[in-house]
Amino acid sequence: QVHLVQSGAEVKKPGASVKISCKASGYTFTTYYMHWVRQAPGQGPEWLAMINPSGDITTYSQKFQVRITVTRDTSTSTVYMELSSLRSGDTAVYYCARGGVITFGGVVVKRWIDYWGQGTLVTVSS
Amino acid sequence: DIQLTQSPTFLSASVGDRVTITCRASQGISNFVAWYQQKPGKAPKFLIYDVSILQSGVPSRFSGSGSGTEFTLTISSLQPEDFATYYCQQLNSYPFTFGPGTKVDIK
């Protein structure tokens, strides 16, 4: 069965960076996208970024473009998300989530995000 | 960015009730709509994608419909385990935004 296991909770000071890992198992790692989503306390989810199956294309929300980096290590089936210049508003639970697509003639006709990691709480506080 | 609104924000219902949640998009999102269920302290659970396709293992009392900018999630007969918050998401264009959520509570 599919499992996404994330690294543990982090406490960071404003201005610092955080790097979260997401280790995948139970499926062929190189055939699915990986998305990152965060959820601030009491708020709805917010999509941050995704990386394609081969790991050579990343897509970032413009809101985070300048301070987010997503990478993947195929040898360990692990995806990483690093967020820099942290501020108090970045306090949230961060999730990785597996994504799939169906294409037809090179065009995406179906897209979904199915399995989610357990979440990593990042607290930004001075 | 595409904005999603959900109505109602809060819904009080009884076991066995039929429940409908509406998701409206600020512009057309084709068929790229998904729905999730979330319980406190847990990750969202994937229910439906492509407007109406149920994820494997999701009970058939859940269904999705809609087109263009208006979409609905229906629970035909609410069960005790269905009390949760439900979110829609559009995957038509970046960023893949979520709705603000609808909390379904016990009447």
Side-chain angles (χ1 to χ4, degrees):
Chain A
Q1 61 275 41
V2 175
H3 283 300
L4 302 175
V5 179
Q6 299 181 221
S7 49
E10 303 263 12
V11 179
K12 296 291 183 180
K13 293 195 181 302
S17 297
V18 68
K19 190 171 185 177
I20 303 169
S21 65
C22 170
K23 184 171 177 59
S25 62
Y27 69 98
T28 304
F29 182 69
T30 52
T31 58
Y32 286 87
Y33 290 75
M34 193 70 78
H35 298 257
W36 287 91
V37 174
R38 77 178 187 181
Q39 191 167 25
Q43 303 297 311
E46 180 177 25
W47 184 86
L48 306 177
M50 73 178 189
I51 188 164
N52 71 335
S54 55
D56 58 348
I57 299 175
T58 50
T59 304
Y60 301 130
S61 170
Q62 201 159 12
K63 178 178 176 181
F64 303 96
Q65 181 83 36
V66 298
R67 58 190 190 105
I68 190 171
T69 304
V70 174
T71 55
R72 63 196 284 162
D73 181 347
T74 302
S75 68
T76 60
S77 299
T78 302
V79 179
Y80 300 91
M81 190 280 297
E82 183 170 23
L83 190 64
S84 63
S85 303
L86 291 170
R87 41 237 195 196
S88 59
D90 293 319
T91 294
V93 176
Y94 289 75
Y95 296 99
C96 59
R98 190 185 80 162
V101 298
I102 293 174
T103 61
F104 184 78
V107 177
V108 174
V109 294
K110 296 189 193 302
R111 190 192 300 272
W112 64 90
I113 298 174
D114 50 14
Y115 292 92
W116 294 60
Q118 84 277 18
T120 297
L121 175 61
V122 175
T123 303
V124 182
S125 174
S126 54
Chain B
D1 298 2
I2 294 176
Q3 307 301 319
L4 300 181
T5 59
Q6 287 183 233
S7 58
T9 301
F10 182 84
L11 190 160
S12 186
S14 301
V15 172
D17 284 354
R18 181 183 181 86
V19 166
T20 298
I21 298 167
T22 300
C23 176
R24 292 184 175 88
S26 58
Q27 58 188 271
I29 52 176
S30 186
N31 57 310
F32 293 99
V33 172
W35 290 93
Y36 303 87
Q37 175 194 72
Q38 190 176 33
K39 296 183 179 180
K42 299 293 187 181
K45 177 187 174 184
F46 176 50
L47 298 176
I48 287 170
Y49 74 104
D50 199 51
V51 179
S52 61
I53 299 177
L54 258 62
Q55 163 72 331
S56 174
V58 173
S60 59
R61 63 180 179 273
F62 289 90
S63 64
S65 65
S67 64
T69 60
E70 187 164 322
F71 303 88
T72 59
L73 172 70
T74 299
I75 309 171
S76 60
S77 177
L78 201 64
Q79 297 302 299
E81 60 268 29
D82 301 337
F83 292 98
T85 300
Y86 293 84
Y87 296 97
C88 59
Q89 182 193 22
Q90 66 81 19
L91 298 102
N92 182 72
S93 58
Y94 306 116
F96 295 152
T97 46
F98 289 83
T102 295
K103 185 175 182 179
V104 178
D105 210 341
I106 302 172
K107 182 183 285 184

